[in-house]
Amino acid sequence: MASAPCGPIRIDALGARGPYRALARTAVTDVSGRPVAELSLVPRLFVGRTLRAMRRAEPLPADERVAAIVRAARVFAEDTVAGLPADAYAHMVSRVGGTPVGVVRAALRSTAERLSRVHESVRQARPAGAVDDWRDVRARSGAAVWARRGEVLAVHAPGNHPGTHSLWPQALALGYRVAVRPSRRDPFTPHRLITALHTAGFGHDQVTLLPTEHDLAGSLREGADRSLVYGGADVVRRYAGDPATLLQGPGRTKILVTADTDWREHLDVIVDSVSAHGGAGCVNATTVLVEGDPSGLCAALAERLGALTGLPPENDKAVLPVRPVEAARAIEAHLLRTAVGARPWLGGEGIVQDLGDGSAALLPAVHQLARPDAPQAAVELPFPCVWVAPWTPGDGIAPLRDSLALTAITRDASLIDRLLAEPGIANVYVGGHRTYVMDPGLPHDGYLGEFLMRSKTVIRD
């Protein structure tokens, strides 16, 4: 187990001219409330000046961009970056965000793998009939050329899981310049990744880190051509309908088990889908719908998930998320209010395990609902919390909509056809597949390239 560095870490902004220590700075505290880092907060003028410099910057040639990202993958995963060895980085992310350190280490490896395969990911998104460059010989008789919709992408990053930072480097591979506004729950991952990208060959005006106060987030979004925004339902409502903003909101990921299968044969998949990665990801299952009586599955889930116990997040055996006690109590109170009318199998009297240092682990919860369209089925909480409800073919597809991922444990081919045809379901896994499987080259919520690029017809002499 790594130990924390001595003294607070200084996290400077990374502007178009290099590191910048702002006059305004804020303390980054760990889950016990202890300050462990100091984060620079840049003013509005700095944001505007940086975005203008990025817009003027010419992207590296395509092959050089991809090669630099591949080099950055190794630096990010293995080297000492900005004074932090990889294990000390994982310890810090764990202590501040409350994410189990094993999850952080796994995300370090998976992010590096995705970066090393970035060419594959962006290539998969390009239409088969398009070419990358107008100089391609196929453009002589007319061809679709894949072209950027803009020059600068702004990323409003989340802090729930470090693996979310494996997505936006695809924009660099496509020639965008990228400005990242980090979450205060995890400024370490984007700072480490951007520093690695600079080390690998990207200029400071190609990719920047712009921590700001909340009221300046809109300035960053408005100053960019495209924006990638993470957040809850309130953020989705605020930016819904903005074609220049790609929203990454609640996942509301689900599992469906039909009567032609036996849930007992897939219990490991269901348990892992709910609880892996601390249960805090958008691709963790929060609702399980069962054709028939769901009480047997509820009992089995309560037994398995009830065996999980809280530990400090930096402990190698930790599997549950940790928050400051006050924040944990607020989540618990919200759960208990939300669960009124549901049958509790686990967590009905509370989900907070005080760890004695000002922090608390969030223990799992299992509740049974009376019907698949109960309002609780749409509630997603940042720990292993699952709502289990009965489902019948007569209920149709409606209870399965608004899902980032759906694992359908069924043999009903016509049902699978309807699930794939449903616009409100982003990803469909048929059979015993965990909901959080996201391999390089596969779309998360569609390909990022679909949002960043377009096909233009080009005919040349």
Side-chain angles (χ1 to χ4, degrees), residues 334-404:
H334 178 66
L335 170 65
L336 296 178
R337 288 194 302 270
T338 302
V340 172
R343 178 185 175 185
W345 286 85
L346 183 65
E349 296 181 358
I351 48 88
V352 171
Q353 181 183 337
D354 195 322
L355 297 178
D357 65 346
S359 69
L362 298 172
L363 302 176
V366 179
H367 288 81
Q368 183 176 340
L369 305 175
R371 62 183 198 277
D373 60 348
Q376 294 96 330
V379 174
E380 181 177 273
L381 293 172
F383 68 101
C385 175
V386 62
W387 312 93
V388 185
W391 177 89
T392 69
D395 294 315
I397 300 299
L400 302 167
R401 290 176 180 144
D402 194 20
S403 299
L404 175 58

Side-chain angles (χ1 to χ4, degrees), residues 246-329:
L246 178 61
L247 294 168
Q248 301 289 283
R252 298 193 177 101
T253 292
K254 302 177 181 69
I255 295 174
L256 172 67
V257 184
T258 59
D260 58 4
T261 61
D262 187 345
W263 60 260
R264 296 169 187 81
E265 297 176 3
H266 301 281
L267 184 59
D268 287 347
V269 168
I270 298 172
V271 170
D272 287 351
S273 294
V274 172
S275 62
H277 307 289
C282 57
V283 287
N284 281 110
T286 54
T287 302
V288 179
L289 302 177
V290 183
E291 187 177 0
D293 182 3
S295 58
L297 176 56
C298 287
L301 284 173
E303 181 180 5
R304 291 281 296 273
L305 294 174
L308 303 180
T309 188
L311 292 168
E314 73 278 12
N315 189 299
D316 289 338
K317 296 181 179 179
V319 294
L320 295 174
V322 174
R323 294 288 182 89
V325 168
E326 185 176 342
R329 292 291 181 197

Side-chain angles (χ1 to χ4, degrees), residues 35-51:
V36 296
E38 182 183 71
L39 177 65
S40 284
L41 300 176
V42 300
R44 189 185 307 273
L45 181 63
F46 188 91
V47 171
R49 188 171 64 218
T50 299
L51 293 178

Side-chain angles (χ1 to χ4, degrees), residues 37 106 173 184 203 235 266 318 375 378 445:
R184 296 187 195 182
V235 172
H266 301 281
D445 188 3

